[in-house]
Amino acid sequence: MMSSGFTVGNKCHLLWNLMAAVVVLGQTKPSMKLNSQSNSGLRSDCVGNLMRLTLDKALAVGSQLEVEAIDGTQHILITPSLAAQCGYSMESDPWGNTRIYASLMGCYVDNNEDKTFNVGLRLQMYDQSPSKVVTHEVTKTCGYSQWASREIVCDRNYMEVAAEMKGHFNPKDDSKMNSIPDATDTTPGIWKLTFYTPEPEVMVLSEAQQAGYGAMTTPNRLVMRSPYNTAETYSEDVAGIPMEVFRVSAYYKAPHGLTVVDSAAACPIGGVMFTEDVISWHVPRHITPLIDGGIKILEMHMGINGQRLDKAQMAARGYTLSATKFHIIIEIPIGSPDGYYKSHAPDYQYHTTYSVEPMLELLWRAEDTQVDTRYKVLFPITTPLMPQRPQVSDNTIPEERVFKAQLGPLLHDMELLNITFPTGVLTVEECNARGFTIQEHSFSNGTKSFSLQVPFSDDVVLKHNPEPLVTVYFLPLILGFIILPEQTPVPCPMEVEASLQDVVLPRVTGTCDQNMFYISVTYGSQGHNFQTMIGTHELTPELAELYRLRENGTHFSLSVAYTSSDAVFELIESDSIKARIDLLLWDSNNNWKLGDFSLACNFPLTTTTCYPNGTMTTLTAKVESVHNLLLSQLTLTDPSCKPVFSDDRFAYFSFHVDTCGTTRTFFDNYMLYENEIALYHHSAKAFTSPVDPEYRHKVSCYYLVNDTETMAFSYKPRSNEPTAETGSGQLMVQMRLAQDSSYNLFYQTEDYPVVKYLREPLYFEVELMQSADPQLELILENCWATLTEDRTSLPSWDIIVDGCENLDDSYMTVIHPVVSDSRVTIPSHVKRFSMKTFTFTKDEEVLKDQIYVHCDAVVCETNNREGICSGQCVNPAGMSRASPERTKGVKRDSTHNQKQISSGPILLLYLQSNL
């Protein structure tokens, strides 16, 4: 029964809030359940001098909890201040698992002779909507008969001492100090209280209650209760452990007079030490504020959440309870199933704490008074923040070309929301929809991990090649977690990497025909991310056009004439030339050679021609083995016989068999004429470079000395004399401007006017069309340039005069030899010449920035060697030249036996350095 003098002070409407967040099923690790659960999610049990009510999280999740004490027909709201004053406490984990403790000596408890206690509580759980409330009423009857003379309880929010009044009443002299103000009031009860802080502080009962203290009597006991950290409590160090001390003397009015009962409680507020694996809780063995002399410890028990554990239960959990000279020590392994882990994210770094609530219960006897004291402490402990770094398990098998990784362990309160890839952020649902398999794996110890699979081929995977054949696949991730129920974000970075020798290099193949190299390059696995070197030049867009590049996404192909400047000549013989083309595929970023290809072929080439009139012509070429050779320095055996034409690739000789040191040898019915092309000193000895091998090229012609032909002849008279039929036709001649010296590509009609820089070479080709007669030869008689399209206009400048180059031109026109190839089948039908662009000037001023080129061509029979038909000549060396920038010229009239062709206009651009 509560003392009639006990009144409840300010009944403020402050709620105990349990705003538990909605938790994904299976993520919450339940607290230890020492008793069977009811289907309602509520269970109550008696734990010594306390009643314990447990709420399962499933009952309270998402709700606000309000606790009321049932006192007869009344319901008293238990606020935090009233709970500490009246002996109630509550503990809840972050997911809503809740325990409520009520002291059997607390307010609103129906006490039957200090033996049977009826505790009634009403729980009201408000949903998110205030109109929705669920009410549970719980009543529990506890019997407790093992009362010691003094019972001390240290709960999480109050200190309580219940002293037996029998044998503890100390009658005092009815002095003035202890006189009762209202002597007519003989109702037994507590009159006043003296608190020792340690200085005395006197309060009447109502003042003490207003200050938050509880004071009451039961049939056999006087109960005093104090919250922690009030003005009348103080801290004291006992055996190195900080203790909160509460000491009070209660003046009790009894029928026989005034009696004083001295009470004290001391509760530990520290004494916890942590290692990586163990929590050690130290409590003083001799709590000096409660003990005047020696004591004997009769019982020592350890418990969890207010419930004692026996030795077998402690051993199964790895708990130890021991005593030293100065301390009682409880050791609890971190991670014990009776506690729980919680995730935290200070500064977005993943940490955990472990929380557990051990209980220590002691029974000691004072050696001088034989008075027993039962001392019970419920002491919640939470470890400091422990930094965690989840481990990444890389289970990738590179040959499967899929990243397989797992991150963990993580606590059950971690929920994965999204993943940040190098290309952006995807939710878990988006990851699975994209084919990234994200799975959650739960374990029996309450932890979990997350696994994911990402194909190497996805664009979120970064790639680089440290070696030509090796690809390194790299996947940096940030897994975005939140901590429940607080919704605190936690980023967890993760990186996985794999290497594969999976690079397919580009492949080069090639073939030849009589005139061309045909090269095909098939792309490898890296695509067209390389440079191509053909010969010594990079394959630019201009060269690609020249070599007729074709590309279809998987490969490209080139067609290169063997006479191209990017081909090299290895060997020249009388009827063929061996040429080679080199192709290099190059990764310039890493300085890697990806492919090196060479193709060498023999191409048919008639290098020496023997004419019936005793003229020999021969063509020689610069071979790779003598790379420093200047072809213009070659001579025949007679050093004065030099090439009639030479450039950096070919040299062309024309001479009569009776000249240039040609030798003659007779054998059988033939005459053999031989000469040799070589490098000679003036001493007429062959010159050999100290670096390059000797260059020698023998040329020879065979002539039949005499020959006898046998013919059969028979005569048959004719009835009619044969007559010749008269026919007529037109031979066509065309002149074209080539784009370069290879004479493979030509400007078309739509390309005119052609723009050239001053003194840039112009390459012209004149061809006899629509004739397959090898007995015809095209001869360029005269060629000249004018300012206008009118071929007879003035001024004009001679380019070719009477079949030969203009000797007055300081920039000599060059007539090039023509050999047969895939396009030219009859070389005598084609003539080629080159010149450098020039301008017409007068008084050092340019008359016009364009020119036209005209030619008169004559078609001759090869057996007619008279006049202009005697053959196209070339310019002898050593003749004087003049400047081309002038207005000299003569007006020309066409004749009936000439073919007239023109080309132009050609526009001129000027560079400052050329003016």
Side-chain angles (χ1 to χ4, degrees):
M1 295 289 294
M2 185 180 71
S3 169
S4 59
F6 185 92
T7 59
V8 177
N10 179 22
K11 293 186 178 180
C12 62
H13 206 73
L14 179 64
L15 304 181
W16 287 353
N17 293 331
L18 279 181
M19 297 303 292
V22 177
V23 182
V24 177
L25 183 62
Q27 286 189 338
T28 302
K29 177 179 180 296
S31 299
M32 174 186 173
K33 299 172 178 56
L34 298 176
N35 296 283
S36 63
Q37 300 185 49
S38 67
N39 291 333
S40 66
L42 287 171
R43 68 181 184 278
S44 58
D45 50 7
C46 303
V47 286
N49 53 7
L50 299 171
M51 190 280 288
R52 182 178 64 178
L53 176 63
T54 303
L55 289 79
D56 188 83
K57 68 176 179 62
L59 186 65
V61 65
S63 300
Q64 177 177 286
L65 176 64
E66 188 176 87
V67 181
E68 296 176 340
I70 301 174
D71 185 19
T73 60
Q74 293 184 328
H75 297 86
I76 295 91
L77 182 66
I78 304 297
T79 65
S81 59
L82 184 60
Q85 187 178 42
C86 285
Y88 295 86
S89 69
M90 184 174 73
E91 186 273 335
S92 178
D93 67 21
W95 306 281
N97 298 296
T98 304
R99 289 183 298 275
I100 301 173
Y101 296 93
S103 171
L104 298 184
M105 290 295 178
C107 309
Y108 319 115
V109 176
D110 182 15
N111 185 335
N112 185 9
E113 297 298 325
D114 287 347
K115 294 180 180 179
T116 305
F117 306 87
N118 296 310
V119 182
L121 295 175
R122 184 168 77 165
L123 309 179
Q124 297 196 95
M125 283 167 271
Y126 294 90
D127 204 346
Q128 295 178 352
S129 173
S131 62
K132 294 181 180 179
V133 60
V134 178
T135 302
H136 297 273
E137 287 194 359
V138 179
T139 59
K140 182 68 175 178
T141 299
C142 293
Y144 186 65
S145 59
Q146 301 176 353
W147 291 103
S149 302
R150 182 172 58 173
E151 298 264 343
I152 299 174
V153 176
C154 298
D155 207 337
R156 62 179 55 244
N157 58 333
Y158 67 88
M159 300 179 287
E160 178 185 275
V161 55
E164 187 179 32
M165 288 190 292
K166 180 181 178 181
H168 286 75
F169 281 85
N170 299 316
K172 301 291 184 179
D173 294 336
D174 192 10
S175 63
K176 181 178 180 180
M177 173 183 175
N178 294 323
S179 61
I180 300 173
D182 186 2
T184 61
D185 184 6
T186 60
T187 303
I190 299 173
W191 165 42
K192 70 174 183 178
L193 302 167
T194 301
F195 296 91
Y196 301 94
T197 61
E199 299 300 324
E201 179 72 27
V202 179
M203 299 182 191
V204 297
L205 179 60
S206 60
E207 293 175 335
Q209 290 174 338
Q210 288 180 357
Y213 297 101
M216 60 182 291
T217 59
T218 70
N220 301 301
R221 294 179 177 271
L222 185 142
V223 181
M224 299 298 301
R225 194 175 295 109
S226 171
Y228 289 94
N229 300 315
T230 62
E232 286 70 41
T233 62
Y234 63 93
S235 295
E236 183 176 333
D237 187 283
V238 180
I241 307 301
M243 307 286 286
E244 187 82 2
V245 180
F246 167 59
R247 296 181 61 191
V248 64
S249 294
Y251 292 81
Y252 180 78
K253 293 184 294 182
H256 54 272
L258 184 64
T259 302
V260 179
V261 179
D262 296 326
S263 297
C267 296
I269 56 175
V272 181
M273 294 188 298
F274 304 93
T275 66
E276 185 177 350
D277 303 312
V278 177
I279 299 171
S280 299
W281 176 33
H282 295 68
V283 178
R285 180 168 182 163
H286 295 83
I287 305 175
T288 52
L290 307 178
I291 301 171
D292 293 331
I295 64 167
K296 180 180 180 181
I297 296 179
L298 304 178
E299 295 180 14
M300 187 166 61
H301 303 281
M302 176 198 173
I304 292 291
N305 299 328
Q307 178 70 52
R308 287 184 185 179
L309 299 177
D310 58 29
K311 291 183 179 180
Q313 291 172 318
M314 291 173 57
R317 292 164 170 80
Y319 301 153
T320 61
L321 173 63
S322 60
T324 66
K325 183 178 180 181
F326 299 102
H327 298 100
I328 308 296
I329 304 172
I330 290 177
E331 291 187 331
I332 300 174
I334 294 177
S336 159
D338 294 324
Y340 63 87
Y341 280 101
K342 185 72 185 73
S343 298
H344 306 270
D347 298 325
Y348 300 102
Q349 301 299 310
Y350 183 45
H351 291 70
T352 61
T353 57
Y354 174 75
S355 299
V356 68
E357 186 176 286
M359 180 191 76
L360 175 65
E361 186 175 343
L362 301 175
L363 179 65
W364 72 71
R365 177 172 296 166
E367 294 178 350
D368 52 350
T369 64
Q370 300 299 305
V371 174
D372 294 342
T373 298
R374 188 176 304 280
Y375 183 74
K376 180 185 285 188
V377 183
L378 281 70
F379 197 76
I381 299 172
T382 298
T383 64
L385 287 171
M386 298 178 287
Q388 303 292 334
R389 185 174 181 84
Q391 298 299 312
V392 177
S393 300
D394 189 351
N395 305 315
T396 303
I397 300 174
E399 289 71 21
E400 295 179 354
R401 305 187 68 81
V402 176
F403 278 119
K404 297 179 180 179
Q406 190 160 334
L407 181 73
L410 300 166
L411 293 186
H412 51 83
D413 57 355
M414 296 277 282
E415 180 180 0
L416 180 61
L417 288 186
N418 55 46
I419 300 179
T420 301
F421 295 95
T423 56
V425 181
L426 298 176
T427 65
V428 173
E429 293 75 13
E430 290 171 336
C431 288
N432 285 317
R434 186 161 172 169
F436 306 162
T437 304
I438 311 295
Q439 292 182 323
E440 179 180 318
H441 309 273
S442 298
F443 305 107
S444 59
N445 63 357
T447 62
K448 60 183 177 181
S449 66
F450 290 85
S451 65
L452 78 159
Q453 298 183 17
V454 179
F456 288 1
S457 58
D458 198 279
D459 60 6
V460 302
V461 178
L462 306 178
K463 309 174 186 69
H464 74 278
N465 301 98
E467 302 175 26
L469 296 177
V470 176
T471 303
V472 173
Y473 299 89
F474 179 60
L475 181 59
L477 306 170
I478 299 177
L479 281 75
F481 291 93
I482 59 169
I483 299 174
L484 298 177
E486 301 91 340
Q487 305 287 321
T488 305
V490 185
C492 289
M494 181 173 110
E495 294 181 353
V496 286
E497 182 178 296
S499 297
L500 267 179
Q501 189 168 327
D502 60 352
V503 177
V504 177
L505 295 179
R507 184 170 57 91
V508 188
T509 57
T511 59
C512 301
D513 62 11
Q514 291 188 343
N515 300 284
M516 307 289 288
F517 295 103
Y518 299 99
I519 299 171
S520 178
V521 179
T522 303
Y523 301 146
S525 58
Q526 304 295 314
H528 192 192
N529 62 341
F530 54 83
Q531 292 179 328
T532 303
M533 302 289 292
I534 184 162
T536 58
H537 298 100
E538 183 179 348
L539 185 61
T540 61
E542 293 76 18
L543 276 182
E545 182 179 0
L546 175 63
Y547 295 147
R548 303 175 189 174
L549 182 140
R550 299 290 182 269
E551 198 273 340
N552 68 354
T554 62
H555 71 280
F556 71 85
S557 60
L558 300 170
S559 301
V560 183
Y562 78 88
T563 56
S564 165
S565 60
D566 287 312
V568 296
F569 300 136
E570 294 183 347
L571 180 66
I572 185 168
E573 297 180 344
S574 61
D575 58 352
S576 68
I577 187 168
K578 185 177 183 181
R580 188 186 77 246
I581 191 72
D582 298 322
L583 198 74
L584 177 66
L585 307 182
W586 187 258
D587 182 345
S588 59
N589 293 328
N590 299 297
N591 203 28
W592 291 338
K593 183 166 65 175
L594 304 180
D596 191 358
F597 177 80
S598 294
L599 176 63
C601 297
N602 287 313
F603 296 92
L605 177 65
T606 301
T607 60
T608 301
T609 303
C610 306
Y611 293 96
N613 63 355
T615 299
M616 293 178 61
T617 62
T618 185
L619 183 72
T620 190
K622 181 177 181 178
V623 292
E624 183 183 30
S625 59
V626 196
H627 62 276
N628 287 330
L629 175 66
L630 295 178
L631 294 176
S632 61
Q633 296 179 355
L634 292 174
T635 68
L636 294 170
T637 304
D638 183 348
S640 65
C641 293
K642 297 180 179 181
V644 295
F645 161 79
S646 66
D647 57 16
D648 59 347
R649 304 279 287 165
F650 294 97
Y652 181 73
F653 292 85
S654 179
F655 59 96
H656 196 271
V657 296
D658 292 334
T659 62
C660 299
T662 307
T663 62
R664 184 178 61 181
T665 305
F666 290 91
F667 61 94
D668 295 335
N669 203 34
Y670 292 92
M671 288 186 298
L672 171 63
Y673 290 92
E674 288 185 309
N675 210 319
E676 184 178 63
I677 301 172
L679 282 174
Y680 286 93
H681 284 303
H682 294 295
S683 61
K685 293 182 179 179
F687 170 71
T688 301
S689 165
V691 176
D692 299 324
E694 184 181 63
Y695 186 90
R696 293 178 181 274
H697 181 198
K698 285 187 175 293
V699 294
S700 59
C701 277
Y702 291 89
Y703 288 92
L704 189 63
V705 175
N706 50 54
D707 191 14
T708 302
E709 297 288 345
T710 302
M711 300 179 61
F713 176 79
S714 63
Y715 172 77
K716 183 178 181 179
R718 295 177 181 272
S719 59
N720 297 308
E721 292 296 324
T723 60
E725 295 184 2
T726 302
S728 63
Q730 181 71 33
L731 293 177
M732 295 182 60
V733 177
Q734 71 170 1
M735 181 166 68
R736 295 189 294 174
L737 177 61
Q739 295 186 14
D740 55 36
S741 60
S742 66
Y743 287 91
N744 286 323
L745 296 176
F746 296 86
Y747 293 104
Q748 305 301 316
T749 303
E750 60 269 21
D751 296 329
Y752 285 87
V754 174
V755 179
K756 294 289 184 177
Y757 288 101
L758 186 63
R759 297 178 185 169
E760 185 176 357
L762 298 174
Y763 299 95
F764 291 93
E765 180 182 271
V766 182
E767 182 178 5
L768 174 63
M769 308 296 291
Q770 301 178 351
S771 174
D773 186 354
Q775 300 301 317
L776 298 181
E777 181 176 4
L778 178 71
I779 302 295
L780 296 180
E781 183 178 14
N782 297 294
C783 293
W784 65 98
T786 65
L787 283 176
T788 67
E789 193 172 3
D790 182 2
R791 65 198 323 269
T792 63
S793 65
L794 293 176
S796 68
W797 180 254
D798 291 329
I799 300 170
I800 295 176
V801 179
D802 296 330
C804 297
E805 301 94 330
N806 181 9
L807 300 182
D808 292 331
D809 196 342
S810 60
Y811 297 96
M812 181 182 65
T813 299
V814 178
I815 299 177
H816 300 281
V818 179
V819 296
S820 61
D821 55 26
S822 59
R823 188 173 63 82
V824 178
T825 56
I826 305 176
S828 63
H829 289 190
V830 178
K831 288 296 182 285
R832 293 170 178 167
F833 67 93
S834 64
M835 56 176 281
K836 293 184 179 180
T837 58
F838 63 92
T839 61
F840 288 93
T841 63
K842 185 174 183 180
D843 299 330
E844 299 184 353
E845 287 188 9
V846 176
L847 295 179
K848 202 171 185 180
D849 57 359
Q850 70 178 25
I851 60 171
Y852 288 78
V853 176
H854 317 274
C855 284
D856 290 336
V858 178
V859 178
C860 301
E861 293 182 3
T862 55
N863 58 4
N864 178 13
R865 291 298 178 180
E866 297 179 357
I868 192 63
C869 291
S870 61
Q872 199 84 53
C873 73
V874 295
N875 181 51
M879 303 298 288
S880 62
R881 308 296 181 194
S883 172
E885 298 181 350
R886 57 175 72 80
T887 60
K888 177 183 176 182
V890 293
K891 193 167 184 177
R892 301 175 185 274
D893 294 318
S894 60
T895 59
H896 68 279
N897 60 346
Q898 294 175 334
K899 302 297 180 182
Q900 300 172 347
I901 56 266
S902 300
S903 178
I906 301 169
L907 299 184
L908 306 179
L909 293 179
Y910 303 93
L911 294 176
Q912 185 66 35
S913 60
N914 289 333
L915 294 179

